Amino acid sequence: MELIAPLGIVPDARMLARFRTYFDYLTEQNEVMNLTAINGEEEVYLRHFYDSLCLVKAGPVSGLTLLDVGAGAGFPSLPLKIAFPELRVTIVDATQKRIRFLETLIAKLGLEGVEAIHVRAEDFDRKCSYDLVTARAVARLNILAELCMPFAKVGGRFIAMKAGDCDAEVKEAANAIRTLGGTLDRVIHYDVGPDRDHALVVVRKTAFTQTMYPRAFARIKSKPL
Ligand code: SAH
């Protein structure tokens, strides 16, 4: 965990114990359900825990409300919650068994201020809005923007965690971002190990999203903005 010092995170004993519990339970449950293709302590700490924490490269998160769309086994929101206990986290995921995994994990970690809801983002309550909406490895950016941006407050942000070679995807999503009430702020590149370039696509929510969004998923897919 010495990697996290440059992120401004000083690990204490409770934080380290929680990451250990997370690693153990993820590894155990990965034997019986498909949670991650990444195995082994070093790889999980680097490519899941550290990578998730790199979201802070876009700015401080402590004390914010965060919606994590399609968190799967909890990335990026749960490592962030472990490092910043003041963060308030809502997870939505379309897969029931992943939500069950998360509920047990949250209890094992003794985290408060985290809810995990089994719902597709496009069916989620439109009245809910968050300071920060994030998603990692869920969909192409033009589609992802429609799943996420309606739930960001005006003045808040949507941050997509992407592979480094996302230029074409960002260009393709320009219309979706604008239509949904956003402005592309910047793309922040960072390394997760040698030859592994990742990027944070940071979008500011500058205007309300029209209530017709998000549309039904079939529509989002067949006619992306
Ligand atoms: N963010 C995690 C998981 C990525 S896998 C990580 O980076 O490791 C993609 C996850 O998104 C799956 O758990 C899937 O169930 C969920 N998902 C896909 N489409 C979704 C949607 N429309 N609404 C909510 N969850 C969705």
Side-chain angles (χ1 to χ4, degrees):
M1 292 305 298
E2 60 283 353
L3 263 175
I4 69 177
L7 299 175
I9 302 166
V10 182
D12 59 14
R14 185 179 68 168
M15 199 190 296
L16 293 175
R18 279 176 164 160
F19 279 120
R20 164 63 40 195
T21 301
Y22 197 160
F23 170 74
D24 287 344
Y25 188 57
L26 178 70
T27 304
E28 178 198 306
Q29 290 301 303
N30 207 29
E31 302 275 319
V32 290
M33 67 174 105
N34 175 20
L35 289 166
T36 173
I38 295 170
N39 284 304
E41 186 171 330
E42 217 172 295
E43 289 283 284
V44 167
Y45 271 73
L46 180 67
R47 294 172 63 189
H48 283 318
F49 299 164
Y50 173 72
D51 186 48
S52 295
L53 294 173
C54 281
L55 192 93
V56 302
K57 288 176 183 286
V61 298
S62 191
L64 300 184
T65 56
L66 180 148
L67 174 69
D68 191 359
V69 170
F75 307 118
S77 52
L78 290 189
L80 288 162
K81 174 69 184 174
I82 291 171
F84 301 98
E86 305 298 311
L87 185 68
R88 278 171 293 154
V89 172
T90 302
I91 287 169
V92 293
D93 198 285
T95 308
Q96 173 80 64
K97 63 177 186 169
R98 298 211 171 104
I99 293 293
R100 279 206 210 99
F101 163 84
L102 290 173
E103 283 169 347
T104 307
L105 175 64
I106 290 161
K108 276 180 185 285
L109 295 172
L111 297 174
E112 281 171 19
V114 185
E115 53 180 351
I117 307 169
H118 176 222
V119 66
R120 295 189 62 89
E122 63 274 21
D123 299 328
F124 188 46
D125 186 347
R126 287 162 196 230
K127 290 193 291 298
C128 295
S129 63
Y130 300 84
D131 300 316
L132 187 54
V133 183
T134 188
R136 189 185 80 158
V138 176
R140 266 186 93 78
L141 191 60
N142 57 344
I143 290 173
L144 192 60
E146 187 166 346
L147 297 176
C148 294
M149 286 185 52
F151 305 106
K153 288 179 186 167
V154 174
R157 288 171 301 164
F158 158 51
I159 305 180
M161 305 188 84
K162 288 285 174 189
D165 58 352
C166 60
D167 287 1
E169 223 181 304
V170 173
K171 272 205 192 95
E172 176 193 53
N175 183 58
I177 290 169
R178 191 174 343 105
T179 305
L180 294 160
T183 308
L184 178 67
D185 183 4
R186 58 202 166 123
V187 179
I188 301 169
H189 287 266
Y190 63 96
D191 284 337
V192 184
D195 300 325
R196 202 171 281 122
D197 176 31
H198 285 192
L200 302 174
V201 181
V202 184
V203 173
R204 293 206 166 273
K205 180 88 175 256
T206 44
F208 286 102
T209 304
Q210 291 173 59
T211 51
M212 63 182 286
Y213 302 115
R215 298 165 294 165
F217 193 68
R219 193 82 187 149
I220 298 176
K221 250 192 117 175
S222 67
K223 293 231 175 311
L225 291 169

